[in-house]
Amino acid sequence: DGGITQSPKYLFRKEGQNVTLSCEQNLNHDAMYWYRQDPGQGLRLIYYSQIVNDFQKGDIAEGYSVSREKKESFPLTVTSAQKNPTAFYLCASSLGLAGGPADTQYFGPGTRLTVL
Amino acid sequence: EDQVTQSPEALRLQEGESSSLNCSYTVSGLRGLFWYRQDPGKGPEFLFTLYSAGEEKEKERLKATLTKKESFLHITAPKPEDSATYLCAVQGWGTASKLTFGTGTRLQVTL
């Protein structure tokens, strides 16, 4: 089955710790994204990557870091510098069409991070 | 800056009672408008992409339409399993495929 997997489903972190969220896709998509979802707010873009070994900051990148060493994988690290990390984190991927028709994003199941 | 506003925030329908969800948007050149369904604790599930004003798409009891300023998601004769949050997002030209999301409409369909 083609799709996007995220792990773990639930993650608990103590204050001051860094944690890494995993995102893997087997859709052969070039572009990958990380979003954060909080109650009552729309999904907000943290980081995105259009190609291996390259990534850009989204709207709320402070306190987060990413890497894109393989096409299939786009892990997100939530650092201790992120002031309010408790949220639902969603990974997405798309073909990464630079032009032409709209580039549909497909989402993984999400990781719920709770800071204790 | 792209903006998306969805209304109502929440909607409660009885089974079989048709209604519409609204998505108003501003974008500097629309590349696409997307509708997703999200169940509690899960990732958004893709429903539709609309590309230009006048376009319509259907899937089972759902029909999405698009004008130059808004999109509607029409739900015909809903069933309890249609209960979910419906998200609207826009993608503009020159934004590297980034999406701007609305806050969603939470739909509950009761027997």
Side-chain angles (χ1 to χ4, degrees):
Chain A
D1 277 343
I4 302 172
T5 57
Q6 292 185 241
S7 62
K9 185 172 181 179
Y10 299 99
L11 186 57
F12 298 90
R13 191 195 91 174
K14 293 182 180 178
E15 284 194 23
Q17 285 182 336
N18 292 354
V19 290
T20 297
L21 282 58
S22 169
C23 177
E24 304 274 335
Q25 54 97 2
N26 61 4
L27 300 169
N28 200 31
H29 284 171
D30 283 321
M32 297 186 74
Y33 312 81
W34 274 105
Y35 291 89
R36 171 183 172 136
Q37 188 174 35
D38 296 281
Q41 297 195 41
L43 274 68
R44 292 182 290 167
L45 183 64
I46 303 172
Y47 268 97
Y48 63 102
S49 168
Q50 295 176 280
I51 197 166
V52 174
N53 292 322
D54 189 39
F55 49 83
Q56 287 78 40
K57 293 181 179 180
D59 300 319
I60 56 165
E62 186 176 349
Y64 300 97
S65 66
V66 293
S67 63
R68 186 89 187 275
E69 297 176 1
K70 297 188 300 182
K71 184 175 183 177
E72 302 79 18
S73 178
F74 191 39
L76 173 74
T77 297
V78 184
T79 75
S80 56
Q82 168 50 232
K83 291 184 171 31
N84 186 20
T86 294
F88 191 48
Y89 290 87
L90 290 159
C91 178
S93 70
S94 72
L95 288 170
L97 303 172
D103 191 25
T104 301
Q105 293 184 19
Y106 298 89
F107 285 83
T111 292
R112 185 165 298 281
L113 172 63
T114 303
V115 174
L116 303 173
Chain B
E1 184 181 327
D2 301 344
Q3 289 192 324
V4 176
T5 303
Q6 292 188 246
S7 62
E9 284 187 18
L11 182 62
R12 186 181 172 114
L13 299 174
Q14 286 198 318
E15 185 175 14
E17 180 186 3
S18 301
S19 188
S20 296
L21 314 182
N22 177 263
C23 171
S24 298
Y25 67 90
T26 55
V27 63
S28 54
L30 180 69
R31 187 178 177 193
L33 184 141
F34 304 85
W35 282 99
Y36 292 87
R37 169 195 170 123
Q38 186 175 27
D39 293 304
K42 298 191 176 180
E45 173 191 346
F46 169 70
L47 293 173
F48 304 109
T49 305
L50 300 169
Y51 299 94
S52 59
E55 189 175 4
E56 299 183 353
K57 289 196 174 171
E58 287 189 66
K59 180 180 180 179
E60 295 181 358
R61 295 176 293 282
L62 301 176
K63 182 167 95 171
T65 62
L66 180 65
T67 73
K68 288 186 177 180
K69 293 183 178 180
E70 57 192 350
S71 177
F72 292 94
L73 185 65
H74 307 278
I75 303 177
T76 303
K79 298 182 178 182
E81 53 262 42
D82 295 322
S83 298
T85 296
Y86 290 85
L87 302 174
C88 174
V90 295
Q91 187 177 82
W93 289 103
T95 61
S97 298
K98 290 193 288 182
L99 295 179
T100 299
F101 280 87
T103 53
T105 293
R106 191 170 63 254
L107 174 67
Q108 184 180 12
V109 182
T110 60
L111 292 170

